[in-house]
């Protein structure tokens, strides 16, 4: 992906997920090394509220819809709640109002887990709310990956001569 090609190949998608996996590992190590200092009610509330507001309503609407087209409001709710910007602001507000605490690790653990373990990123309006391969994307992916193999073969051929 770059500023002119707003799509990921399988490899770059896996690399981005690996970066979030590192964040998940760091947050999880901090979590496990401070288990005795975590206030559990805030931790659980912070972990769960993201999906209670941002995912579950849209998932219910999507699965109930015969056409699988749902209001863009559900996409906005998902994207706002699953944004590192939003949760960073929630963290700053929490620290300002109540002070820093280890329960706040629920936020990066949730977001980094979604992105690294499940491959869930922000949702574009043009795609179904739940992941379904788009035929146009499949064609593009095959074309780009095929072109990449052709380019690599041409480079190897040129190097051999």
């Amino acid at each position: 992906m770059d500023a002119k090609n707003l799509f990921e190949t399988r490899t770059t998608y896996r690399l981005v997920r690996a970066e979030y996996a590192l964040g998940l590992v760091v947050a999880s190590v901090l979590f496990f090394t401070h288990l005795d200092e975590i206030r559990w009610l805030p931790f659980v509330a912070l972990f769960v509220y993201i999906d209670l507001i941002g995912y579950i309503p849209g998932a219910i609407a999507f699965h109930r819809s015969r056409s699988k087209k749902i209001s863009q409001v559900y996409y906005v709710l998902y994207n706002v709640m699953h944004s590192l910007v939003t949760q960073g602001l929630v963290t700053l507000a929490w620290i300002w109002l109540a002070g820093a605490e280890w329960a706040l690790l629920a936020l990066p653990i949730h977001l980094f887990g979604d992105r690294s373990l499940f491959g869930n990123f922000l949702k574009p309006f043009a795609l179904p709310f739940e992941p379904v391969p788009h035929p146009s994307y499949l064609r593009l992916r095959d074309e780009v990956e095929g072109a990449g193999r052709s380019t690599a073969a041409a480079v190897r051929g040129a190097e051999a001569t």
Side-chain angles (χ1 to χ4, degrees), residues 71-117:
S71 170
Q72 290 182 348
V73 168
Y74 296 113
Y75 290 80
V76 172
L77 285 172
Y78 182 92
N79 290 342
V80 167
M81 294 306 297
H82 287 84
S83 166
L84 290 168
V85 172
T86 300
Q87 299 314 321
L89 292 172
V90 167
T91 300
L92 290 173
W94 187 290
I95 291 169
W96 184 56
L97 294 171
E101 64 176 298
W102 294 110
L104 290 166
L105 286 170
L107 301 173
I109 289 171
H110 183 121
L111 296 179
F112 294 165
D114 274 358
R115 292 178 181 165
S116 66
L117 301 174

mmCIF file of all heavy atoms in Angstrom, residues 71-117:
data_model
loop_
_atom_site.group_PDB
_atom_site.id
_atom_site.type_symbol
_atom_site.label_atom_id
_atom_site.label_comp_id
_atom_site.label_asym_id
_atom_site.label_seq_id
_atom_site.Cartn_x
_atom_site.Cartn_y
_atom_site.Cartn_z
ATOM 1 N N SER A 71 -27.392 0.580 7.498
ATOM 2 C CA SER A 71 -27.116 2.013 7.592
ATOM 3 C C SER A 71 -25.620 2.264 7.801
ATOM 4 O O SER A 71 -24.935 1.530 8.515
ATOM 5 C CB SER A 71 -27.898 2.595 8.766
ATOM 6 O OG SER A 71 -27.488 3.922 9.021
ATOM 7 N N GLN A 72 -25.148 3.344 7.201
ATOM 8 C CA GLN A 72 -23.748 3.730 7.376
ATOM 9 C C GLN A 72 -23.448 4.142 8.815
ATOM 10 O O GLN A 72 -22.287 4.177 9.217
ATOM 11 C CB GLN A 72 -23.392 4.858 6.407
ATOM 12 C CG GLN A 72 -23.344 4.397 4.963
ATOM 13 C CD GLN A 72 -22.934 5.504 4.012
ATOM 14 O OE1 GLN A 72 -22.887 6.679 4.372
ATOM 15 N NE2 GLN A 72 -22.637 5.137 2.777
ATOM 16 N N VAL A 73 -24.482 4.406 9.591
ATOM 17 C CA VAL A 73 -24.296 4.740 11.000
ATOM 18 C C VAL A 73 -23.527 3.624 11.707
ATOM 19 O O VAL A 73 -22.652 3.888 12.533
ATOM 20 C CB VAL A 73 -25.657 4.990 11.689
ATOM 21 C CG1 VAL A 73 -25.509 5.061 13.203
ATOM 22 C CG2 VAL A 73 -26.301 6.247 11.144
ATOM 23 N N TYR A 74 -23.827 2.364 11.370
ATOM 24 C CA TYR A 74 -23.142 1.235 12.007
ATOM 25 C C TYR A 74 -21.659 1.216 11.657
ATOM 26 O O TYR A 74 -20.820 0.873 12.491
ATOM 27 C CB TYR A 74 -23.796 -0.088 11.606
ATOM 28 C CG TYR A 74 -25.218 -0.209 12.086
ATOM 29 C CD1 TYR A 74 -26.273 -0.228 11.179
ATOM 30 C CD2 TYR A 74 -25.511 -0.287 13.446
ATOM 31 C CE1 TYR A 74 -27.586 -0.338 11.613
ATOM 32 C CE2 TYR A 74 -26.822 -0.395 13.892
ATOM 33 C CZ TYR A 74 -27.853 -0.420 12.971
ATOM 34 O OH TYR A 74 -29.142 -0.517 13.410
ATOM 35 N N TYR A 75 -21.320 1.586 10.432
ATOM 36 C CA TYR A 75 -19.928 1.662 10.022
ATOM 37 C C TYR A 75 -19.206 2.768 10.798
ATOM 38 O O TYR A 75 -18.079 2.587 11.247
ATOM 39 C CB TYR A 75 -19.818 1.952 8.522
ATOM 40 C CG TYR A 75 -20.244 0.817 7.636
ATOM 41 C CD1 TYR A 75 -21.592 0.556 7.377
ATOM 42 C CD2 TYR A 75 -19.289 0.009 7.023
ATOM 43 C CE1 TYR A 75 -21.978 -0.475 6.548
ATOM 44 C CE2 TYR A 75 -19.661 -1.021 6.182
ATOM 45 C CZ TYR A 75 -21.007 -1.266 5.953
ATOM 46 O OH TYR A 75 -21.380 -2.295 5.131
ATOM 47 N N VAL A 76 -19.874 3.911 10.934
ATOM 48 C CA VAL A 76 -19.281 5.031 11.656
ATOM 49 C C VAL A 76 -19.071 4.644 13.124
ATOM 50 O O VAL A 76 -17.996 4.901 13.692
ATOM 51 C CB VAL A 76 -20.151 6.299 11.532
ATOM 52 C CG1 VAL A 76 -19.649 7.408 12.449
ATOM 53 C CG2 VAL A 76 -20.178 6.776 10.077
ATOM 54 N N LEU A 77 -20.072 4.000 13.724
ATOM 55 C CA LEU A 77 -19.921 3.551 15.114
ATOM 56 C C LEU A 77 -18.736 2.600 15.250
ATOM 57 O O LEU A 77 -17.931 2.723 16.167
ATOM 58 C CB LEU A 77 -21.200 2.864 15.600
ATOM 59 C CG LEU A 77 -22.376 3.780 15.916
ATOM 60 C CD1 LEU A 77 -23.627 2.948 16.193
ATOM 61 C CD2 LEU A 77 -22.058 4.678 17.096
ATOM 62 N N TYR A 78 -18.639 1.643 14.328
ATOM 63 C CA TYR A 78 -17.528 0.692 14.377
ATOM 64 C C TYR A 78 -16.196 1.433 14.256
ATOM 65 O O TYR A 78 -15.277 1.233 15.058
ATOM 66 C CB TYR A 78 -17.653 -0.354 13.260
ATOM 67 C CG TYR A 78 -16.536 -1.365 13.320
ATOM 68 C CD1 TYR A 78 -16.689 -2.548 14.040
ATOM 69 C CD2 TYR A 78 -15.311 -1.131 12.712
ATOM 70 C CE1 TYR A 78 -15.652 -3.470 14.134
ATOM 71 C CE2 TYR A 78 -14.266 -2.038 12.806
ATOM 72 C CZ TYR A 78 -14.452 -3.205 13.511
ATOM 73 O OH TYR A 78 -13.417 -4.110 13.616
ATOM 74 N N ASN A 79 -16.079 2.281 13.242
ATOM 75 C CA ASN A 79 -14.811 2.949 12.971
ATOM 76 C C ASN A 79 -14.410 3.908 14.082
ATOM 77 O O ASN A 79 -13.227 4.000 14.431
ATOM 78 C CB ASN A 79 -14.870 3.664 11.626
ATOM 79 C CG ASN A 79 -14.908 2.684 10.465
ATOM 80 O OD1 ASN A 79 -14.565 1.513 10.605
ATOM 81 N ND2 ASN A 79 -15.359 3.157 9.319
ATOM 82 N N VAL A 80 -15.367 4.615 14.652
ATOM 83 C CA VAL A 80 -15.054 5.527 15.749
ATOM 84 C C VAL A 80 -14.600 4.737 16.975
ATOM 85 O O VAL A 80 -13.592 5.059 17.603
ATOM 86 C CB VAL A 80 -16.268 6.434 16.079
ATOM 87 C CG1 VAL A 80 -16.067 7.156 17.406
ATOM 88 C CG2 VAL A 80 -16.502 7.431 14.954
ATOM 89 N N MET A 81 -15.329 3.692 17.304
ATOM 90 C CA MET A 81 -15.007 2.925 18.505
ATOM 91 C C MET A 81 -13.735 2.100 18.355
ATOM 92 O O MET A 81 -13.058 1.813 19.333
ATOM 93 C CB MET A 81 -16.175 2.019 18.896
ATOM 94 C CG MET A 81 -17.417 2.772 19.319
ATOM 95 S SD MET A 81 -17.121 3.977 20.636
ATOM 96 C CE MET A 81 -16.606 2.905 21.958
ATOM 97 N N HIS A 82 -13.401 1.695 17.143
ATOM 98 C CA HIS A 82 -12.205 0.885 16.911
ATOM 99 C C HIS A 82 -11.023 1.720 16.420
ATOM 100 O O HIS A 82 -10.070 1.189 15.858
ATOM 101 C CB HIS A 82 -12.519 -0.260 15.936
ATOM 102 C CG HIS A 82 -13.339 -1.325 16.581
ATOM 103 N ND1 HIS A 82 -14.701 -1.240 16.679
ATOM 104 C CD2 HIS A 82 -12.980 -2.482 17.174
ATOM 105 C CE1 HIS A 82 -15.158 -2.306 17.308
ATOM 106 N NE2 HIS A 82 -14.128 -3.075 17.632
ATOM 107 N N SER A 83 -11.090 3.004 16.639
ATOM 108 C CA SER A 83 -10.027 3.916 16.235
ATOM 109 C C SER A 83 -9.015 4.074 17.367
ATOM 110 O O SER A 83 -9.384 4.306 18.524
ATOM 111 C CB SER A 83 -10.630 5.276 15.884
ATOM 112 O OG SER A 83 -9.619 6.252 15.798
ATOM 113 N N LEU A 84 -7.743 3.994 17.025
ATOM 114 C CA LEU A 84 -6.699 4.266 18.004
ATOM 115 C C LEU A 84 -6.759 5.719 18.458
ATOM 116 O O LEU A 84 -6.430 6.027 19.604
ATOM 117 C CB LEU A 84 -5.326 3.943 17.417
ATOM 118 C CG LEU A 84 -5.037 2.460 17.206
ATOM 119 C CD1 LEU A 84 -3.799 2.264 16.351
ATOM 120 C CD2 LEU A 84 -4.874 1.757 18.542
ATOM 121 N N VAL A 85 -7.219 6.608 17.583
ATOM 122 C CA VAL A 85 -7.361 8.012 17.951
ATOM 123 C C VAL A 85 -8.428 8.152 19.041
ATOM 124 O O VAL A 85 -8.194 8.780 20.086
ATOM 125 C CB VAL A 85 -7.711 8.884 16.718
ATOM 126 C CG1 VAL A 85 -8.058 10.308 17.133
ATOM 127 C CG2 VAL A 85 -6.570 8.872 15.716
ATOM 128 N N THR A 86 -9.600 7.569 18.801
ATOM 129 C CA THR A 86 -10.676 7.651 19.790
ATOM 130 C C THR A 86 -10.246 7.064 21.120
ATOM 131 O O THR A 86 -10.408 7.687 22.177
ATOM 132 C CB THR A 86 -11.934 6.901 19.288
ATOM 133 O OG1 THR A 86 -12.368 7.490 18.068
ATOM 134 C CG2 THR A 86 -13.050 6.934 20.313
ATOM 135 N N GLN A 87 -9.688 5.876 21.094
ATOM 136 C CA GLN A 87 -9.324 5.213 22.350
ATOM 137 C C GLN A 87 -8.130 5.902 23.012
ATOM 138 O O GLN A 87 -7.995 5.869 24.240
ATOM 139 C CB GLN A 87 -9.092 3.725 22.126
ATOM 140 C CG GLN A 87 -10.328 2.997 21.607
ATOM 141 C CD GLN A 87 -11.610 3.339 22.349
ATOM 142 O OE1 GLN A 87 -11.626 3.505 23.571
ATOM 143 N NE2 GLN A 87 -12.705 3.439 21.619
ATOM 144 N N GLY A 88 -7.281 6.538 22.217
ATOM 145 C CA GLY A 88 -6.215 7.353 22.798
ATOM 146 C C GLY A 88 -6.793 8.549 23.545
ATOM 147 O O GLY A 88 -6.335 8.903 24.638
ATOM 148 N N LEU A 89 -7.830 9.170 22.969
ATOM 149 C CA LEU A 89 -8.491 10.295 23.637
ATOM 150 C C LEU A 89 -9.230 9.830 24.889
ATOM 151 O O LEU A 89 -9.225 10.527 25.915
ATOM 152 C CB LEU A 89 -9.451 10.999 22.670
ATOM 153 C CG LEU A 89 -8.779 11.740 21.508
ATOM 154 C CD1 LEU A 89 -9.830 12.239 20.518
ATOM 155 C CD2 LEU A 89 -7.910 12.876 22.011
ATOM 156 N N VAL A 90 -9.855 8.639 24.816
ATOM 157 C CA VAL A 90 -10.502 8.076 26.005
ATOM 158 C C VAL A 90 -9.456 7.862 27.101
ATOM 159 O O VAL A 90 -9.683 8.189 28.275
ATOM 160 C CB VAL A 90 -11.233 6.753 25.662
ATOM 161 C CG1 VAL A 90 -11.633 5.986 26.919
ATOM 162 C CG2 VAL A 90 -12.449 7.030 24.786
ATOM 163 N N THR A 91 -8.303 7.334 26.721
ATOM 164 C CA THR A 91 -7.224 7.108 27.682
ATOM 165 C C THR A 91 -6.771 8.421 28.321
ATOM 166 O O THR A 91 -6.632 8.509 29.552
ATOM 167 C CB THR A 91 -6.029 6.407 26.995
ATOM 168 O OG1 THR A 91 -6.462 5.148 26.479
ATOM 169 C CG2 THR A 91 -4.869 6.212 27.952
ATOM 170 N N LEU A 92 -6.562 9.437 27.500
ATOM 171 C CA LEU A 92 -6.138 10.739 28.039
ATOM 172 C C LEU A 92 -7.195 11.334 28.962
ATOM 173 O O LEU A 92 -6.865 11.870 30.024
ATOM 174 C CB LEU A 92 -5.813 11.704 26.892
ATOM 175 C CG LEU A 92 -4.560 11.382 26.096
ATOM 176 C CD1 LEU A 92 -4.436 12.315 24.883
ATOM 177 C CD2 LEU A 92 -3.316 11.459 26.970
ATOM 178 N N ALA A 93 -8.464 11.236 28.562
ATOM 179 C CA ALA A 93 -9.545 11.756 29.412
ATOM 180 C C ALA A 93 -9.606 10.990 30.732
ATOM 181 O O ALA A 93 -9.766 11.589 31.805
ATOM 182 C CB ALA A 93 -10.882 11.671 28.677
ATOM 183 N N TRP A 94 -9.449 9.672 30.660
ATOM 184 C CA TRP A 94 -9.477 8.835 31.879
ATOM 185 C C TRP A 94 -8.340 9.245 32.820
ATOM 186 O O TRP A 94 -8.543 9.411 34.021
ATOM 187 C CB TRP A 94 -9.353 7.371 31.482
ATOM 188 C CG TRP A 94 -9.541 6.402 32.601
ATOM 189 C CD1 TRP A 94 -8.701 6.162 33.657
ATOM 190 C CD2 TRP A 94 -10.657 5.543 32.795
ATOM 191 N NE1 TRP A 94 -9.219 5.197 34.472
ATOM 192 C CE2 TRP A 94 -10.426 4.795 33.964
ATOM 193 C CE3 TRP A 94 -11.826 5.303 32.069
ATOM 194 C CZ2 TRP A 94 -11.316 3.832 34.433
ATOM 195 C CZ3 TRP A 94 -12.709 4.351 32.534
ATOM 196 C CH2 TRP A 94 -12.460 3.629 33.712
ATOM 197 N N ILE A 95 -7.149 9.391 32.254
ATOM 198 C CA ILE A 95 -5.989 9.765 33.074
ATOM 199 C C ILE A 95 -6.206 11.141 33.694
ATOM 200 O O ILE A 95 -5.903 11.354 34.875
ATOM 201 C CB ILE A 95 -4.693 9.722 32.232
ATOM 202 C CG1 ILE A 95 -4.352 8.260 31.870
ATOM 203 C CG2 ILE A 95 -3.531 10.392 32.960
ATOM 204 C CD1 ILE A 95 -3.256 8.118 30.826
ATOM 205 N N TRP A 96 -6.750 12.072 32.938
ATOM 206 C CA TRP A 96 -6.989 13.423 33.441
ATOM 207 C C TRP A 96 -8.023 13.421 34.561
ATOM 208 O O TRP A 96 -7.869 14.093 35.571
ATOM 209 C CB TRP A 96 -7.438 14.318 32.289
ATOM 210 C CG TRP A 96 -7.625 15.756 32.656
ATOM 211 C CD1 TRP A 96 -6.700 16.598 33.225
ATOM 212 C CD2 TRP A 96 -8.804 16.521 32.495
ATOM 213 N NE1 TRP A 96 -7.240 17.849 33.407
ATOM 214 C CE2 TRP A 96 -8.540 17.837 32.966
ATOM 215 C CE3 TRP A 96 -10.061 16.242 31.978
ATOM 216 C CZ2 TRP A 96 -9.489 18.843 32.941
ATOM 217 C CZ3 TRP A 96 -11.002 17.249 31.948
ATOM 218 C CH2 TRP A 96 -10.717 18.534 32.443
ATOM 219 N N LEU A 97 -9.101 12.604 34.375
ATOM 220 C CA LEU A 97 -10.193 12.602 35.357
ATOM 221 C C LEU A 97 -9.946 11.674 36.549
ATOM 222 O O LEU A 97 -10.317 12.001 37.668
ATOM 223 C CB LEU A 97 -11.508 12.193 34.669
ATOM 224 C CG LEU A 97 -12.036 13.179 33.624
ATOM 225 C CD1 LEU A 97 -13.194 12.571 32.858
ATOM 226 C CD2 LEU A 97 -12.441 14.492 34.292
ATOM 227 N N ALA A 98 -9.349 10.507 36.297
ATOM 228 C CA ALA A 98 -9.234 9.497 37.361
ATOM 229 C C ALA A 98 -7.800 9.067 37.644
ATOM 230 O O ALA A 98 -7.565 8.333 38.590
ATOM 231 C CB ALA A 98 -10.073 8.271 36.990
ATOM 232 N N GLY A 99 -6.886 9.462 36.796
ATOM 233 C CA GLY A 99 -5.496 9.062 36.978
ATOM 234 C C GLY A 99 -5.140 7.848 36.132
ATOM 235 O O GLY A 99 -6.009 7.117 35.656
ATOM 236 N N ALA A 100 -3.855 7.671 35.941
ATOM 237 C CA ALA A 100 -3.362 6.538 35.156
ATOM 238 C C ALA A 100 -3.557 5.248 35.940
ATOM 239 O O ALA A 100 -3.417 5.235 37.170
ATOM 240 C CB ALA A 100 -1.890 6.733 34.821
ATOM 241 N N GLU A 101 -3.892 4.199 35.226
ATOM 242 C CA GLU A 101 -4.029 2.887 35.877
ATOM 243 C C GLU A 101 -3.881 1.783 34.837
ATOM 244 O O GLU A 101 -4.077 1.985 33.646
ATOM 245 C CB GLU A 101 -5.356 2.772 36.616
ATOM 246 C CG GLU A 101 -6.598 2.818 35.745
ATOM 247 C CD GLU A 101 -7.850 2.598 36.561
ATOM 248 O OE1 GLU A 101 -7.980 1.510 37.149
ATOM 249 O OE2 GLU A 101 -8.687 3.513 36.626
ATOM 250 N N TRP A 102 -3.534 0.605 35.338
ATOM 251 C CA TRP A 102 -3.255 -0.536 34.465
ATOM 252 C C TRP A 102 -4.504 -1.058 33.764
ATOM 253 O O TRP A 102 -4.398 -1.709 32.730
ATOM 254 C CB TRP A 102 -2.567 -1.648 35.259
ATOM 255 C CG TRP A 102 -1.209 -1.229 35.728
ATOM 256 C CD1 TRP A 102 -0.823 -0.965 37.004
ATOM 257 C CD2 TRP A 102 -0.070 -0.973 34.908
ATOM 258 N NE1 TRP A 102 0.488 -0.564 37.045
ATOM 259 C CE2 TRP A 102 0.985 -0.567 35.758
ATOM 260 C CE3 TRP A 102 0.174 -1.042 33.536
ATOM 261 C CZ2 TRP A 102 2.247 -0.236 35.281
ATOM 262 C CZ3 TRP A 102 1.441 -0.720 33.068
ATOM 263 C CH2 TRP A 102 2.453 -0.326 33.933
ATOM 264 N N ALA A 103 -5.688 -0.760 34.247
ATOM 265 C CA ALA A 103 -6.924 -1.189 33.588
ATOM 266 C C ALA A 103 -7.029 -0.615 32.174
ATOM 267 O O ALA A 103 -7.688 -1.201 31.305
ATOM 268 C CB ALA A 103 -8.143 -0.779 34.412
ATOM 269 N N LEU A 104 -6.366 0.500 31.928
ATOM 270 C CA LEU A 104 -6.395 1.113 30.600
ATOM 271 C C LEU A 104 -5.750 0.234 29.528
ATOM 272 O O LEU A 104 -5.970 0.452 28.337
ATOM 273 C CB LEU A 104 -5.719 2.486 30.638
ATOM 274 C CG LEU A 104 -6.503 3.560 31.392
ATOM 275 C CD1 LEU A 104 -5.619 4.764 31.674
ATOM 276 C CD2 LEU A 104 -7.749 3.957 30.616
ATOM 277 N N LEU A 105 -4.995 -0.770 29.940
ATOM 278 C CA LEU A 105 -4.420 -1.708 28.967
ATOM 279 C C LEU A 105 -5.502 -2.460 28.198
ATOM 280 O O LEU A 105 -5.235 -3.021 27.132
ATOM 281 C CB LEU A 105 -3.492 -2.705 29.659
ATOM 282 C CG LEU A 105 -2.145 -2.147 30.098
ATOM 283 C CD1 LEU A 105 -1.426 -3.157 30.994
ATOM 284 C CD2 LEU A 105 -1.303 -1.795 28.876
ATOM 285 N N ALA A 106 -6.722 -2.464 28.701
ATOM 286 C CA ALA A 106 -7.825 -3.110 27.983
ATOM 287 C C ALA A 106 -7.994 -2.523 26.583
ATOM 288 O O ALA A 106 -8.330 -3.247 25.645
ATOM 289 C CB ALA A 106 -9.125 -2.964 28.772
ATOM 290 N N LEU A 107 -7.747 -1.242 26.445
ATOM 291 C CA LEU A 107 -7.962 -0.579 25.152
ATOM 292 C C LEU A 107 -6.974 -1.049 24.081
ATOM 293 O O LEU A 107 -7.399 -1.514 23.020
ATOM 294 C CB LEU A 107 -7.953 0.941 25.333
ATOM 295 C CG LEU A 107 -9.022 1.473 26.299
ATOM 296 C CD1 LEU A 107 -8.832 2.958 26.551
ATOM 297 C CD2 LEU A 107 -10.412 1.167 25.784
ATOM 298 N N PRO A 108 -5.660 -0.963 24.312
ATOM 299 C CA PRO A 108 -4.763 -1.475 23.268
ATOM 300 C C PRO A 108 -4.858 -2.988 23.101
ATOM 301 O O PRO A 108 -4.714 -3.494 21.987
ATOM 302 C CB PRO A 108 -3.368 -1.045 23.729
ATOM 303 C CG PRO A 108 -3.493 -0.798 25.192
ATOM 304 C CD PRO A 108 -4.908 -0.332 25.404
ATOM 305 N N ILE A 109 -5.109 -3.710 24.178
ATOM 306 C CA ILE A 109 -5.249 -5.164 24.032
ATOM 307 C C ILE A 109 -6.416 -5.483 23.112
ATOM 308 O O ILE A 109 -6.305 -6.333 22.212
ATOM 309 C CB ILE A 109 -5.395 -5.857 25.405
ATOM 310 C CG1 ILE A 109 -4.056 -5.812 26.149
ATOM 311 C CG2 ILE A 109 -5.886 -7.285 25.263
ATOM 312 C CD1 ILE A 109 -4.119 -6.264 27.599
ATOM 313 N N HIS A 110 -7.540 -4.794 23.282
ATOM 314 C CA HIS A 110 -8.697 -5.023 22.414
ATOM 315 C C HIS A 110 -8.370 -4.671 20.960
ATOM 316 O O HIS A 110 -8.561 -5.491 20.057
ATOM 317 C CB HIS A 110 -9.895 -4.197 22.891
ATOM 318 C CG HIS A 110 -11.135 -4.435 22.097
ATOM 319 N ND1 HIS A 110 -12.295 -4.884 22.673
ATOM 320 C CD2 HIS A 110 -11.418 -4.307 20.776
ATOM 321 C CE1 HIS A 110 -13.217 -5.013 21.744
ATOM 322 N NE2 HIS A 110 -12.691 -4.661 20.576
ATOM 323 N N LEU A 111 -7.889 -3.451 20.736
ATOM 324 C CA LEU A 111 -7.648 -3.001 19.359
ATOM 325 C C LEU A 111 -6.524 -3.782 18.680
ATOM 326 O O LEU A 111 -6.657 -4.199 17.523
ATOM 327 C CB LEU A 111 -7.349 -1.503 19.341
ATOM 328 C CG LEU A 111 -8.488 -0.594 19.802
ATOM 329 C CD1 LEU A 111 -8.053 0.861 19.747
ATOM 330 C CD2 LEU A 111 -9.744 -0.815 18.996
ATOM 331 N N PHE A 112 -5.415 -3.988 19.387
ATOM 332 C CA PHE A 112 -4.310 -4.731 18.784
ATOM 333 C C PHE A 112 -4.705 -6.186 18.555
ATOM 334 O O PHE A 112 -4.273 -6.807 17.582
ATOM 335 C CB PHE A 112 -3.053 -4.661 19.653
ATOM 336 C CG PHE A 112 -2.456 -3.280 19.768
ATOM 337 C CD1 PHE A 112 -1.522 -3.021 20.754
ATOM 338 C CD2 PHE A 112 -2.804 -2.236 18.923
ATOM 339 C CE1 PHE A 112 -0.939 -1.767 20.884
ATOM 340 C CE2 PHE A 112 -2.240 -0.977 19.048
ATOM 341 C CZ PHE A 112 -1.305 -0.742 20.035
ATOM 342 N N GLY A 113 -5.514 -6.742 19.452
ATOM 343 C CA GLY A 113 -5.996 -8.111 19.264
ATOM 344 C C GLY A 113 -6.895 -8.223 18.048
ATOM 345 O O GLY A 113 -6.756 -9.147 17.240
ATOM 346 N N ASP A 114 -7.824 -7.277 17.892
ATOM 347 C CA ASP A 114 -8.697 -7.289 16.710
ATOM 348 C C ASP A 114 -7.881 -7.261 15.429
ATOM 349 O O ASP A 114 -8.155 -7.987 14.481
ATOM 350 C CB ASP A 114 -9.632 -6.075 16.713
ATOM 351 C CG ASP A 114 -10.908 -6.293 17.498
ATOM 352 O OD1 ASP A 114 -11.116 -7.397 18.034
ATOM 353 O OD2 ASP A 114 -11.712 -5.337 17.579
ATOM 354 N N ARG A 115 -6.862 -6.409 15.400
ATOM 355 C CA ARG A 115 -6.106 -6.218 14.168
ATOM 356 C C ARG A 115 -5.102 -7.340 13.922
ATOM 357 O O ARG A 115 -4.953 -7.795 12.795
ATOM 358 C CB ARG A 115 -5.434 -4.851 14.184
ATOM 359 C CG ARG A 115 -6.503 -3.776 14.094
ATOM 360 C CD ARG A 115 -6.000 -2.387 14.140
ATOM 361 N NE ARG A 115 -7.173 -1.495 14.066
ATOM 362 C CZ ARG A 115 -7.145 -0.235 14.348
ATOM 363 N NH1 ARG A 115 -6.031 0.343 14.719
ATOM 364 N NH2 ARG A 115 -8.244 0.490 14.261
ATOM 365 N N SER A 116 -4.431 -7.788 14.959
ATOM 366 C CA SER A 116 -3.403 -8.813 14.747
ATOM 367 C C SER A 116 -3.990 -10.215 14.679
ATOM 368 O O SER A 116 -3.641 -10.986 13.786
ATOM 369 C CB SER A 116 -2.342 -8.739 15.840
ATOM 370 O OG SER A 116 -2.884 -9.075 17.102
ATOM 371 N N LEU A 117 -4.863 -10.566 15.597
ATOM 372 C CA LEU A 117 -5.389 -11.933 15.658
ATOM 373 C C LEU A 117 -6.495 -12.182 14.647
ATOM 374 O O LEU A 117 -6.563 -13.248 14.035
ATOM 375 C CB LEU A 117 -5.912 -12.242 17.068
ATOM 376 C CG LEU A 117 -4.890 -12.130 18.201
ATOM 377 C CD1 LEU A 117 -5.570 -12.325 19.540
ATOM 378 C CD2 LEU A 117 -3.758 -13.125 17.997
#
